Amino acid sequence: MVRVKRKHVTKHIFITGGVVSSLGKGITAASLALLLKRRGYRVKMQKLDPYLNVDPGTMNPYEHGEVYVTDDGAETDLDLGHYERFSGIPCSQASNYTSGGIFLDVLNRERRGDYLGKTVQVIPHITNEIKAAISSLSGPDVDIAITEIGGTAGDIESLPFLEAIRQYRQEIGRENGLFMHLTLLPYISAAGEMKTKPSQQSVGILRGIGIFPDMLVCRCERPMEDEHRDKLAMYCNVPRELVFEECDVENTIYEVPLELAKQDLDIYTLELLGLHVRTLELTDWKQMVDTYVEPVNGEVEIAVVGKYMSLNDAYKSIYESLTHAGIGNSVGVKVRRIEAQDLEKDGDCKQLEGVDGVLVPGGFGQRGVEGKICAIQWARENNVPFFGICLGMQSAVIEIARNVCGFKDGNSHEFDPDSQHKVVHLMADQHDVTDMGGTMRLGAYPCVLEKGSKAADAYGAKKISERHRHRFEVNNEFRDALSAKGVVFSGVSPDGHLVEIMEFADHPWFVACQFHPEFKSTPLKAHPLFKDFVNASMNIKINKEE
């Protein structure tokens, strides 16, 4: 008997949102990906965003939150950070598409004559391009592709994406794709009731365009009652057992996968897709959550001095990486958020008093830079552990140039082109760049570490790879002068030209890097620099208490 080998088919999960935005589709998608991966399936993830920007790269953090960067240099939505942190599944250029990017591709094809003079329309041209983006995840090495649709059901700008996934599921067959709808069950305190009507209306919007959710995931502040589940099942035409609860977790978002696993969300998902339900192992994840909830080494307080402190999502990966570092050291991490511009106005650093460590993250533009420099000087002179990232490193070089080397006008070419001591300048390959979007040094690059340095000790390696997003670099003309005053350039590009990591020798822990280590930290494996920084802050606090 000859056994015919079955053709591999990638299964697709489409996650939509309803009622309001910011429900946590990204965390839900990431949690599901973790569970499916832990059951032995090869998973890829994707976010489709309805806004017209080509990518988030040129958007103000107050508009969109942080820009997440992948190894292959894509500037993406911050939800991709959740994808990678939760699941450990690497994202890429194919993991984030926007309406702007889709429309740009279609219009470029039209200008080339690819459509042979036909009228270009949303259907079929835009929807076909969206379906091609979805198909880019499919392949013999992918068992399940999860695609999150940004926005909320009912948004005008989301309609082409919803139409595209409707068509896509019809083309691949019901057995190869499912629709999961994340919705909200608001609690009306005055009435003392949880309401299902908004969710019913949200599903009604989807059904009106031909999308019939297979599963509902219901965000709520308090547990659902049987009556709520019964109503949703009846009026949304979803089997009762496929109505899931996603109640607010008590301690950390990393509890979400455990709560969904208790309800067998992943089992029902696999059964709907016709896939075998394999064993699930989450012991290490449970231990990680337990460590977060009950750390044995007390608590440290870290000051984060940035430019966009009023919006939590502007430094999302920074905060998560500090949490990971706390878990890695079994210590709680309390963040004191300080607006860099306030330090400039105050003219001192009293707001930093009492903290156990200072972190200065990246950013663009001159606003708040002098406040960052003030914070760095305070940390250096008071022997408080300091960690600088991207602009944080450039600010550290400026601070040492001014206050240690004696270059009183020391600055970056970005902020003072007329300075005689531009210790930070524009990278050579950036001089002829005119467009802002997608033109920086982006993605993963190698770095060689100096033996015996704090960086090398933290990594436990000689060569590393980290993700970048910058245009400016340390000016090599001043490296000797800085080295003579105690600066150690402990990480450089393989050709020795680009400074990747700098340290200050006469200090307990003063390390800064040009790249963005926060993009490679996970709750199960804290980034080495974050982990070492928090460890140093913890030891400083212990020594002070003794």
Side-chain angles (χ1 to χ4, degrees):
M1 178 178 176
V2 178
R3 180 169 294 179
V4 179
K5 186 176 181 181
R6 297 175 62 185
K7 182 181 178 182
H8 175 81
V9 176
T10 299
K11 308 283 187 172
H12 287 265
I13 301 170
F14 299 103
I15 300 179
T16 57
V19 184
V20 296
S21 60
S22 302
L23 283 182
K25 290 195 302 295
I27 292 174
T28 303
S31 298
L32 178 60
L34 168 66
L35 299 178
L36 295 175
K37 182 184 176 184
R38 288 298 182 96
R39 288 196 183 272
Y41 286 96
R42 299 167 299 173
V43 182
K44 289 289 185 182
M45 305 192 70
Q46 182 182 66
K47 174 79 180 288
L48 302 182
D49 277 307
Y51 53 78
L52 285 175
N53 302 70
V54 174
D55 59 43
T58 57
M59 297 173 72
N60 189 303
Y62 286 126
E63 288 283 327
H64 187 269
E66 74 173 8
V67 175
Y68 191 78
V69 178
T70 60
D71 270 353
D72 63 353
E75 294 178 291
T76 74
D77 182 82
L78 61 84
D79 274 328
L80 273 68
H82 293 311
Y83 297 171
E84 291 198 344
R85 285 189 288 270
F86 275 70
S87 67
I89 299 167
C91 292
S92 67
Q93 299 274 354
S95 300
N96 194 200
Y97 290 87
T98 69
S99 286
I102 295 291
F103 274 81
L104 183 63
D105 287 343
V106 169
L107 292 174
N108 284 337
R109 291 187 183 193
E110 187 273 334
R111 301 309 288 167
R112 289 196 305 265
D114 293 2
Y115 299 120
L116 302 176
K118 291 183 178 180
T119 302
V120 178
Q121 298 175 294
V122 172
I123 302 173
H125 300 96
I126 297 299
T127 50
N128 283 347
E129 195 71 20
I130 294 170
K131 288 189 289 184
I134 295 169
S135 292
S136 68
L137 291 189
S138 299
D141 60 339
V142 182
D143 298 316
I144 303 170
I146 300 176
T147 298
E148 174 193 349
I149 309 299
T152 306
D155 293 345
I156 292 174
E157 56 265 35
S158 298
L159 288 175
F161 290 99
L162 297 177
E163 171 60 19
I165 65 173
R166 183 197 68 79
Q167 294 179 18
Y168 199 91
R169 214 281 279 271
Q170 185 177 20
E171 292 167 6
I172 64 176
R174 295 181 62 86
E175 70 280 6
N176 294 321
L178 67 83
F179 295 124
M180 179 181 294
H181 190 54
L182 181 68
T183 185
L184 175 68
L185 300 185
Y187 180 80
I188 309 301
S189 56
E193 292 181 344
M194 184 182 290
K195 295 296 184 179
T196 64
K197 187 66 71 176
S199 295
Q200 295 174 37
Q201 293 173 336
S202 177
V203 171
I205 292 171
L206 290 178
R207 292 169 68 181
I209 60 176
I211 293 176
F212 296 81
D214 299 292
M215 313 169 76
L216 292 182
V217 178
C218 304
R219 283 296 312 276
C220 45
E221 295 180 5
R222 54 188 67 196
M224 296 166 57
E225 303 288 346
D226 287 342
E227 63 176 293
H228 304 125
R229 201 178 300 270
D230 292 338
K231 275 187 178 182
L232 289 167
M234 178 183 296
Y235 293 114
C236 297
N237 199 32
V238 174
R240 190 180 187 280
E241 65 272 17
L242 298 182
V243 178
F244 299 91
E245 174 186 286
E246 194 172 71
C247 204
D248 292 350
V249 291
E250 184 177 355
N251 300 295
T252 171
I253 57 173
Y254 300 120
E255 293 176 274
V256 173
L258 301 177
E259 294 302 314
L260 294 178
K262 289 178 184 177
Q263 301 175 64
D264 294 333
L265 176 72
D266 53 325
I267 293 178
Y268 284 107
T269 298
L270 292 171
E271 289 178 344
L272 284 173
L273 293 173
L275 295 173
H276 179 64
V277 179
R278 301 167 182 165
T279 304
L280 177 65
E281 177 54 56
L282 289 173
T283 301
D284 57 343
W285 196 269
K286 292 175 183 175
Q287 290 174 344
M288 176 271 294
V289 170
D290 290 342
T291 301
Y292 172 86
V293 175
E294 295 184 1
V296 300
N297 292 321
E299 182 181 78
V300 294
E301 186 173 16
I302 304 297
V304 176
V305 183
K307 298 177 61 173
Y308 316 104
M309 304 311 296
S310 62
L311 181 67
N312 184 65
D313 283 350
Y315 298 111
K316 189 66 177 177
S317 292
I318 294 286
Y319 299 141
E320 291 303 309
S321 296
L322 287 171
T323 296
H324 305 160
I327 294 169
N329 288 287
S330 194
V331 63
V333 176
K334 179 182 178 182
V335 175
R336 185 186 299 185
R337 303 180 187 184
I338 298 176
E339 190 70 54
Q341 204 167 2
D342 290 344
L343 298 184
E344 291 182 12
K345 294 175 183 177
D346 296 343
D348 58 44
C349 289
K350 289 183 179 179
Q351 291 188 58
L352 293 171
E353 292 179 1
V355 300
D356 305 305
V358 175
L359 188 152
V360 176
F364 297 91
Q366 190 166 6
R367 182 180 64 83
V369 169
E370 293 301 324
K372 291 187 174 188
I373 293 172
C374 175
I376 294 167
Q377 181 179 2
W378 182 89
R380 180 178 57 80
E381 293 178 347
N382 288 278
N383 287 326
V384 173
F386 164 74
F387 188 16
I389 295 173
C390 199
L391 180 58
M393 185 186 90
Q394 296 170 12
S395 299
V397 172
I398 294 170
E399 190 279 319
I400 293 172
R402 291 179 184 178
N403 301 313
V404 180
C405 298
F407 303 147
K408 297 304 179 183
D409 69 336
N411 218 321
S412 167
H413 183 274
E414 182 181 7
F415 312 130
D416 184 7
D418 298 323
S419 169
Q420 295 299 307
H421 298 90
K422 291 187 281 289
V423 291
V424 177
H425 68 169
L426 192 65
M427 300 181 72
D429 59 1
Q430 291 287 316
H431 283 283
D432 297 326
V433 172
T434 55
D435 290 346
M436 293 181 64
T439 56
M440 286 183 279
R441 187 174 197 253
L442 292 166
Y445 288 87
C447 170
V448 178
L449 304 179
E450 181 176 317
K451 185 178 179 181
S453 63
K454 285 184 171 60
D457 290 344
Y459 279 98
K462 296 179 181 179
K463 190 174 181 179
I464 59 172
S465 175
E466 293 285 359
R467 300 177 189 178
H468 294 67
R469 185 174 183 255
H470 64 105
R471 299 186 192 279
F472 292 83
E473 65 175 337
V474 173
N475 190 339
N476 290 327
E477 292 181 12
F478 295 95
R479 277 170 66 167
D480 288 343
L482 290 163
S483 295
K485 293 296 184 178
V487 174
V488 177
F489 297 108
S490 56
V492 295
S493 55
D495 62 6
H497 178 79
L498 176 66
V499 172
E500 297 276 21
I501 307 175
M502 60 84 70
E503 304 176 11
F504 193 66
D506 190 20
H507 193 278
W509 206 94
F510 189 106
V511 179
C513 56
Q514 184 59 70
F515 49 80
H516 288 268
E518 68 270 24
F519 295 150
K520 296 187 72 172
S521 186
T522 73
L524 295 178
K525 188 177 181 181
H527 189 281
L529 292 182
F530 274 93
K531 185 176 179 180
D532 212 42
F533 167 59
V534 169
N535 181 261
S537 301
M538 182 177 69
N539 290 334
I540 289 290
K541 181 178 182 179
I542 291 172
N543 291 335
K544 285 192 297 187
E545 291 174 347
E546 290 178 350

